[in-house]
Amino acid sequence: MAESTTVSNYSNLEKYMNLPQKGKIMAEYVWIDGSNGVRSKSKTLSKPVSSPDELPEWNFDGSSTGQAPGDNSDVYIRPVAIFPDPFRLEPNIIVMCETWDPDGSPNKFNYRHDAARLMEANKQHELWFGLEQEYTLLGIDDRPYGWPKNGFPGAQGPYYCGVGTGRVFCRDIVEAHYKACMYAGVQIAGTNAEVMPAQWEYQVGPCEGIELGDHLWMSRFLLARVAEEFGAKVSFAPKPIPGDWNGAGLHTNVSSAEMRKDGGMKHIEAAMKKLEGRHVDHIAVYGEGNADRLTGSHETGSMDKFTWGVADRGASVRIPRQCAKEGKGYFEDRRPASNADPYQITGIIVETIYGGLPEEKMDKE
């Protein structure tokens, strides 16, 4: 009998993972559920595939994921991106999917569909995105990992980019996730310990267009799977611990071809005016519980007012000092919460800066 029901026993599992598959492929279909989490299930393929178009559409019980009523529960999953599987190893794959209703329309939680249309309509702007995903590692008791059971650690200060016992917690999970992302081809750019103990960050990008959302969601799936093996929980709550502790965000770096050229600062400044005009609309899709984080303290701007500035981490949007010096580059939207949907974030930014889409005509059954 295993001593723990929460930590994977790899020594037992390994002999099975090394068994031959006799030419078959294991495909893990991943989708986003009705509570902004990830779900997955496995399908056996008869041969390797090289494109999502070669994969079959599948379905699941949407009444069990908050995506459909019980009397019409089938929700369909359509493959949109393929990643090598770092757990089962190649030739096995993980498949990122969109969710669709039986009548041929996108499921109400399928935010990728409209975001992809916006990216395609504005592809001439060559939009690059880079997102900074903050998260908190929790124990089974829902306390931040490594925190005293009946108290609190020392005040913030030594933990950001910290090194050494008592300054960082669960580095094994962070390292394992980093390597898993690399194996899977996720465009992970780096990682670091954050300001609050047991809080970490990794960066995904730069990616062009809709690819950023696919890679960010896949990185979240991989993080959940890695933490599962260590018996830890991953929290994307924007303010996991009340009080004088930093929250967790999903800072979003944005650049277009025009912004990257000489004189691009005028395009960045023009974007600031447009973002200011739709501040409320952006906040509405920038994550649940964000009001607890966007207080004007702990390196955040106020939720009630749009501000921007050079090298200002207390503003809604920060222009990096180097970009201001060179007169071109990118901007960082610091408003999104750590639990926000990257498809919604990147989609509304493109819509605000470059305009919306005409009504789509769907061929429904």
Side-chain angles (χ1 to χ4, degrees):
M1 178 69 72
E3 293 183 1
S4 173
T5 60
T6 60
V7 179
S8 179
N9 189 331
Y10 188 74
S11 61
N12 283 345
L13 178 63
E14 185 176 18
K15 61 186 177 183
Y16 300 105
M17 297 301 288
N18 290 330
L19 291 174
Q21 297 178 196
K22 300 185 182 296
K24 303 288 179 130
I25 306 298
M26 302 165 76
E28 191 74 11
Y29 278 48
V30 177
W31 70 94
I32 303 157
D33 66 15
S35 58
N36 201 41
V38 286
R39 307 281 181 124
S40 74
K41 62 177 184 173
S42 302
K43 176 181 276 294
T44 302
L45 308 178
S46 61
K47 62 181 181 179
V49 297
S50 57
S51 167
D53 296 335
E54 300 175 54
L55 288 164
E57 186 178 273
W58 207 5
N59 63 76
F60 64 91
D61 172 16
S63 69
S64 296
T65 63
Q67 291 170 277
D71 60 357
N72 188 19
S73 62
D74 284 354
V75 176
Y76 293 87
I77 39 180
R78 297 180 182 175
V80 294
I82 295 175
F83 299 84
D85 190 334
F87 306 109
R88 295 165 172 162
L89 306 183
E90 292 183 286
N92 302 302
I93 57 175
I94 305 178
V95 184
M96 195 69 218
C97 301
E98 284 191 10
T99 52
W100 289 74
D101 289 336
D103 66 358
S105 61
N107 184 264
K108 64 181 179 179
F109 298 103
N110 178 359
Y111 300 119
R112 185 187 188 277
H113 177 68
D114 279 346
R117 293 179 64 227
L118 282 161
M119 300 304 172
E120 178 64 24
N122 292 286
K123 62 184 179 181
Q124 72 273 21
H125 298 293
E126 299 176 20
L127 284 149
W128 293 358
F129 299 98
L131 270 61
E132 305 167 25
Q133 178 68 74
E134 294 179 339
Y135 63 95
T136 307
L137 291 169
L138 308 177
I140 296 302
D141 59 358
D142 289 326
R143 291 276 291 171
Y145 218 97
W147 283 36
K149 291 188 179 298
N150 297 309
F152 295 89
Q156 295 182 154
Y159 311 110
Y160 173 69
C161 296
V163 178
T165 301
R167 291 173 177 248
V168 294
F169 304 92
C170 290
R171 192 186 291 275
D172 285 358
I173 293 175
V174 175
E175 292 292 311
H177 174 246
Y178 202 166
K179 291 295 286 287
C181 284
M182 285 185 163
Y183 183 94
V186 170
Q187 294 299 310
I188 187 168
T191 187
N192 59 269
E194 265 301 335
V195 176
M196 189 182 84
Q199 187 184 77
W200 292 83
E201 175 190 300
Y202 62 90
Q203 304 87 36
V204 172
C207 297
E208 186 167 351
I210 199 63
E211 184 183 54
L212 186 283
D214 294 342
H215 283 237
L216 197 285
W217 270 114
M218 184 52 58
S219 74
R220 287 178 174 177
F221 171 78
L222 296 178
L223 180 58
R225 280 291 309 275
V226 167
E228 179 183 311
E229 295 190 7
F230 287 85
K233 297 181 182 181
V234 179
S235 171
F236 294 113
K239 188 71 173 178
I241 303 296
D244 196 17
W245 303 98
N246 271 37
L250 187 58
H251 299 159
T252 299
N253 300 281
V254 184
S255 180
S256 67
E258 299 88 350
M259 295 176 190
R260 293 189 292 273
K261 293 177 181 177
D262 288 344
M265 186 56 64
K266 66 181 180 182
H267 294 282
I268 294 175
E269 291 175 353
M272 295 304 101
K273 294 180 181 178
K274 293 179 179 179
L275 290 172
E276 182 177 16
R278 297 195 69 199
H279 177 64
V280 174
D281 296 329
H282 281 248
I283 290 297
V285 299
Y286 274 6
E288 292 188 18
N290 213 8
D292 295 331
R293 169 181 163 264
L294 294 181
T295 62
S297 301
H298 301 106
E299 300 181 65
T300 70
S302 170
M303 186 170 178
D304 301 322
K305 182 181 179 182
F306 179 89
T307 59
W308 66 277
V310 174
D312 186 356
R313 282 179 164 78
S316 305
V317 175
R318 177 181 70 95
I319 310 297
R321 189 173 300 282
Q322 188 65 25
C323 293
K325 181 179 179 180
E326 295 178 357
K328 60 183 178 181
Y330 68 97
F331 66 85
E332 177 195 46
D333 191 339
R334 298 177 59 81
R335 295 172 293 174
S338 50
N339 60 5
D341 186 313
Y343 297 132
Q344 287 188 290
I345 296 171
T346 56
I348 196 171
I349 287 173
V350 173
E351 181 182 79
T352 296
I353 297 175
Y354 298 110
L357 290 169
E359 183 178 352
E360 184 179 23
K361 295 181 179 180
M362 308 291 297
D363 292 327
K364 298 186 178 183
E365 296 179 356

